[in-house]
Amino acid sequence: MGIESVKNLLDAAQKASTSVIAFDALDYDTVYACVKGAEAARRPVILMLYPAMNKIISFRAYAELVKTLARDASVPVALHLDHCSDYDTILAAIHAGFTSVMADGSALPFDENVAFTKSVVDVARAFEVDVEGELGHVGQVAAGFAYNDKGTFTVPEEAALFAEKTGVTSLAVAFGSCHGAYQEPPDLDLERLQKIDAATPVPLVLHGGSGIPADQLKKAFRMGINKFNVATEYITLYEGLLHRFYTEKFGTCSPFEKFPFVREPLVAYIADKLQLCALTV
């Protein structure tokens, strides 16, 4: 089928009042499971790489891996660079074949965030690459980020201005989520989300998706979230499966048994998670 545009998927999700789900994956097993799980669920999927993972797998190798699996996939598969605040790193990913990138200037003052994000949009357009921006701030649980602090939430009027000034194809917003494993379930500010959605026509993105109750997610999707990111939940499952294999099986079976041992539960997890998305193919 080939790589699908993130923008095309989000536009379709917006029309259907649902969300495409994006997974951070870092090697062949985790990418493979995302594609096979998406095929089992008959849903589109977005594969993301976090910039620091470039030390594990190069941008070019990752892009080629996703594109190779996408060519044989029976469902749409898209490719995206997750949170990146460095202009040169974003350019390197684009040159390596990424078709969508996130320009994360959320830690900057508004005007500087606009300038940084727009600079990425301007060059990305020349390569027909989609750009996700972020306004408001979604921090890390491990760093003590107070995800219920409304002072970090996206301001609807600023979201409208930000989207207009930057030309982003999607916008990550903050309304009560956080990256990492929640110590207690979040209580998303859905009223705030509705106001943000009403203020701008740009598809909205929810970060920090691991551990948010399904009922809140479904409401958020109907209220404007068109891309939903999952990382911690998925990678933790992968780590646990590897630990189980090497604890229970190491030295007692063929090393090649590792692959079905790890991949089958990963595929099942992806297929189940993708049921949250109402887009079927």
Side-chain angles (χ1 to χ4, degrees), residues 35-210:
V35 175
K36 294 303 178 182
E39 289 186 311
R42 303 305 305 163
R43 303 297 201 276
V45 68
I46 300 173
L47 272 298
M48 304 188 297
L49 184 70
Y50 191 70
M53 296 300 102
N54 192 34
K55 297 175 183 177
I56 297 172
I57 181 170
S58 72
F59 287 149
R60 188 169 301 281
Y62 189 86
E64 289 302 318
L65 167 59
V66 174
K67 289 177 180 180
T68 297
L69 290 176
R71 277 195 291 271
D72 295 328
S74 58
V75 295
V77 177
L79 171 64
H80 180 71
L81 179 71
D82 203 3
H83 288 277
C84 192
S85 303
D86 182 72
Y87 181 83
D88 290 338
T89 301
I90 291 172
L91 285 188
I94 291 173
H95 288 149
F98 276 70
T99 52
S100 179
V101 296
M102 181 181 183
D104 182 2
S106 62
L108 301 171
F110 181 83
D111 288 342
E112 292 180 32
N113 189 358
V114 167
F116 167 68
T117 305
K118 187 177 185 306
S119 70
V120 172
V121 170
D122 287 344
V123 71
R125 278 179 177 160
F127 294 91
E128 298 183 338
V129 167
D130 300 323
V131 179
E132 175 184 327
E134 181 172 339
L135 189 65
H137 186 61
V138 180
Q140 297 277 349
V141 172
F145 179 72
Y147 48 88
N148 291 320
D149 178 4
K150 294 185 183 294
T152 64
F153 288 8
T154 306
V155 177
E157 296 77 14
E158 290 185 350
L161 186 60
F162 183 88
E164 179 184 346
K165 284 180 171 288
T166 61
V168 290
T169 47
S170 63
L171 179 62
V173 292
F175 57 104
S177 64
C178 192
H179 295 105
Y182 292 98
Q183 296 172 347
E184 57 184 54
D187 183 17
L188 299 179
D189 187 345
L190 297 174
E191 182 178 349
R192 174 76 62 109
L193 173 61
Q194 283 184 300
K195 292 178 180 177
I196 297 168
D197 186 49
T200 175
V202 175
L204 303 178
V205 181
L206 172 57
H207 284 255
S210 298

